[in-house]
Amino acid sequence: IWQMQYFRKEELCTKEGETVQVLHPGTLNTHAGPDFHASRIRIGGMEWSGSVEIHVRSSEWIDHHHDEDQAYENVILHVVWRMDRVILRRDQTVVPTVELWDRIDDRLTKKYRHLVTSSFQIPWVRSFQENCVDDPRCILFSILGSSFLHPQDS
């Protein structure tokens, strides 16, 4: 979803109220560390270059111990399905966070629903359905976002 920018970008703001413009989503990281590198994001009028981290819930930052990992200190934007916790860096500054639960086109979620209800079964879909309480957009975000990028955490 992030890599292909499959969400509404109009009036995109951090949960702290700053406007966000994605200039370049970055390059997918297939190794340890933040999900995307070399991202360029304008937040509140200032252009930032750095990493973007993707999660279903913002609290996964803590669950995955990113708060203890120096590699996550250069994250310029935390992209989440739902924000359930404010995330702070080691210096106690807030990591800017964007919530996407209401920005994904329903047609995409309908296609996903068709996929998961077809006779073709993806083995790990059931665990996402349990975690997301059958919210198809949450499940889609889980699969294409966080868990696709963090298969070791699944």
Side-chain angles (χ1 to χ4, degrees):
I1 289 176
W2 177 258
Q3 184 174 20
M4 303 307 291
Q5 298 287 283
Y6 288 151
F7 58 91
R8 280 187 307 102
K9 290 169 269 319
E10 308 82 43
E11 300 178 18
L12 186 62
C13 291
T14 65
K15 290 302 287 181
E16 298 76 33
E18 294 186 282
T19 60
V20 175
Q21 181 183 7
V22 180
L23 304 173
H24 184 272
T27 305
L28 179 63
N29 177 20
T30 58
H31 303 288
D35 297 322
F36 288 86
H37 293 289
S39 302
R40 288 183 34 245
I41 312 289
R42 183 170 288 125
I43 301 173
M46 179 173 279
E47 188 173 324
W48 296 88
S49 294
S51 299
V52 171
E53 180 66 7
I54 313 288
H55 288 121
V56 174
R57 294 177 320 279
S58 59
S59 60
E60 290 175 358
W61 182 282
I62 305 300
D63 297 344
H64 298 168
H65 306 286
H66 299 334
D67 56 322
E68 301 168 8
D69 188 339
Q70 183 65 33
Y72 291 84
E73 286 296 304
N74 73 339
V75 169
I76 58 173
L77 188 65
H78 192 200
V79 178
V80 301
W81 178 255
R82 284 282 196 181
M83 184 168 172
D84 61 347
R85 179 178 184 157
V86 173
I87 300 302
L88 302 175
R89 294 186 181 91
R90 288 181 183 182
D91 67 1
Q92 300 304 300
T93 59
V94 173
V95 177
T97 303
V98 170
E99 213 175 36
L100 294 184
W101 70 270
D102 60 347
R103 296 186 159 274
I104 298 173
D105 190 314
D106 285 336
R107 292 173 296 179
L108 186 59
T109 59
K110 285 177 185 175
K111 286 180 183 180
Y112 170 76
R113 185 179 294 247
H114 174 73
L115 174 66
V116 297
T117 58
S118 72
S119 60
F120 176 76
Q121 184 61 38
I122 301 172
W124 35 264
V125 166
R126 178 164 278 116
S127 69
F128 293 114
Q129 289 172 323
E130 292 166 3
N131 290 333
C132 294
V133 192
D134 292 325
D135 181 339
R137 291 185 297 181
C138 175
I139 297 166
L140 177 67
F141 188 81
S142 298
I143 292 170
L144 298 180
S146 181
S147 295
F148 174 72
L149 301 170
H150 295 290
Q152 71 277 7
D153 293 340
S154 300

